[in-house]
Amino acid sequence: MSFSGAALATPDLNEAADDVCACMEAPYAQIEQAMEMLNAAQASGDTSALIAAQGEMLGVINAASQCFNELSVKYPEISQSQDLQQQVMAIADDQCPNPADAMFSNQ
């Protein structure tokens, strides 16, 4: 038996990471907008603005979930392996860091 067939079945983790970055571009922009709204709301003490910022974050969660659902269809091998998922996300984090990570690391 040849391993060449197995090598062809191995998913391209860099390609998957590129797809993660492309897919998350809009949700990451939403995160940045929500963070700006949240900072302004906290500075002003405007509770209605805080609620609006929280709503914006829920939209981000929904968009990200849809993104990853689509990617799991495109990359079934990765979706079935925690190790491969972690590898892809490590590559994606280097290429297109989540803007929320910077916010939480500064606290």
Side-chain angles (χ1 to χ4, degrees), residues 22-103:
C23 191
M24 292 301 292
E25 187 174 329
Y28 283 175
Q30 272 186 285
I31 288 172
E32 289 176 349
Q33 181 179 1
M35 288 175 10
E36 289 172 10
M37 290 172 63
L38 186 61
N39 289 337
Q42 287 175 334
S44 70
D46 183 353
T47 56
S48 64
L50 281 172
I51 293 169
Q54 289 173 340
E56 188 73 22
M57 289 303 283
L58 288 176
V60 170
I61 293 168
N62 290 335
S65 293
Q66 182 178 356
C67 177
F68 286 111
N69 287 339
E70 291 170 6
L71 291 174
S72 70
V73 171
K74 184 173 181 178
Y75 299 101
E77 307 89 358
I78 294 172
S79 71
Q80 296 172 5
S81 167
Q82 287 284 346
D83 184 51
L84 291 177
Q85 289 174 30
Q86 290 173 350
Q87 290 178 51
V88 168
M89 290 310 297
I91 296 167
D93 284 343
D94 285 340
Q95 294 177 357
C96 57
N98 182 340
D101 290 344
M103 180 181 83

Side-chain angles (χ1 to χ4, degrees), residues 7-30:
L8 293 175
T10 302
D12 183 338
L13 301 184
N14 289 314
E15 179 183 330
D18 289 343
D19 286 348
V20 168
C21 289
C23 191
M24 292 301 292
E25 187 174 329
Y28 283 175
Q30 272 186 285

